[in-house]
Amino acid sequence: MSNAIAVSTPSLPARIRLFLGGAALMCAAVLSGAGAAVAGDAATGKALALQWCAACHLVSEDQDRASSASLPSFYDMAKDPGWSEEKLATFLANPHPQMPNMTLGNTEIANLSSYIASLAP
């Protein structure tokens, strides 16, 4: 005769097990860095800069003109060591009040930041 004690474990309904499994996978993805920053595409960033930023900033050599010589060009920002690609992305997520009210998504921010960084000498 065995001295083992049988322990019963309560069984969760299938829907709850499925929900908990999905929640655990999402937590694992977040903790592993799956929600990390988006890699930017400089060519797409240039097109976006010509569309949104060129009215005020000099953003490209093939640009006709910028409306204000007092604003920094994208070339000035690119060669300034204080403007890393990460700092540019942070700034573009919450720009200063004089900038137009443009709501940029993470991909657009990454593309613009990548383009500006690509102009560094």
Side-chain angles (χ1 to χ4, degrees):
M1 182 181 237
S2 171
N3 290 338
I5 300 174
V7 178
S8 67
T9 56
S11 178
L12 294 174
R15 287 189 314 196
I16 293 175
R17 285 193 313 250
L18 184 61
F19 171 78
L20 292 175
L25 284 174
M26 287 190 309
C27 288
V30 169
L31 292 174
S32 72
V38 177
D41 177 62
T44 304
K46 179 180 180 180
L48 190 61
L50 287 168
Q51 176 185 351
W52 281 92
C53 312
C56 301
H57 295 273
L58 179 64
V59 301
S60 172
E61 290 179 353
D62 56 357
Q63 178 182 346
D64 293 334
R65 61 187 157 90
S67 68
S68 177
S70 65
L71 295 175
S73 74
F74 278 25
Y75 296 96
D76 293 334
M77 288 184 261
K79 67 182 176 187
D80 183 342
W83 284 105
S84 66
E85 192 169 340
E86 294 78 20
K87 186 170 179 182
L88 285 165
T90 300
F91 174 79
L92 289 170
N94 190 19
H96 60 79
Q98 289 92 7
M99 287 183 62
N101 185 15
M102 56 183 181
T103 304
L104 299 172
N106 290 339
T107 301
E108 294 157 322
I109 289 171
N111 292 341
L112 275 172
S113 300
S114 180
Y115 172 62
I116 294 169
S118 76
L119 300 174

